[in-house]
Amino acid sequence: AGVEHTLLNLVRLRYGFGVEPLAANPSVQAVDVGLGVGFDAGVAQIDVGLMHARSIIGPGDFTEPLTGDDLKVYENRTAMAVTFSRGF
């Protein structure tokens, strides 16, 4: 789920979050958080977005047995995108 706000008719601010099971292993929950900002200067637009996801990985995802200290393993992923576009 996410929201976009238009500020001063030129700047767009976006944010959102989600919690979903992973397709490969439904018992693993992934938490996603996204942020973005866009600038519209008439014929040109610039968008910058950032997404961070955190998953809890279970013992079934490893080939070696886990010890008591390793019962919960967290995987973090971060992605950033910068987009420039121009209309004609």
Side-chain angles (χ1 to χ4, degrees):
V3 176
E4 178 175 292
H5 298 281
T6 302
L7 310 170
L8 304 174
N9 294 330
L10 296 174
V11 179
R12 295 180 311 275
L13 177 64
R14 295 179 297 277
Y15 52 91
F17 69 95
V19 177
E20 58 186 326
L22 293 180
N25 185 353
S27 66
V28 176
Q29 298 293 313
V31 178
D32 302 324
V33 177
L35 301 170
V37 64
F39 302 96
D40 189 351
V43 296
Q45 295 86 30
I46 301 171
D47 284 301
V48 179
L50 181 68
M51 188 174 105
H52 181 75
R54 183 175 195 182
S55 304
I56 300 173
I57 301 172
D61 295 312
F62 295 92
T63 56
E64 298 292 324
L66 298 178
T67 65
D69 295 334
D70 298 325
L71 291 182
K72 278 192 179 177
V73 177
Y74 298 95
E75 176 186 31
N76 293 300
R77 296 177 313 278
T78 303
M80 181 178 181
V82 178
T83 306
F84 300 96
S85 60
R86 186 176 193 294
F88 294 99

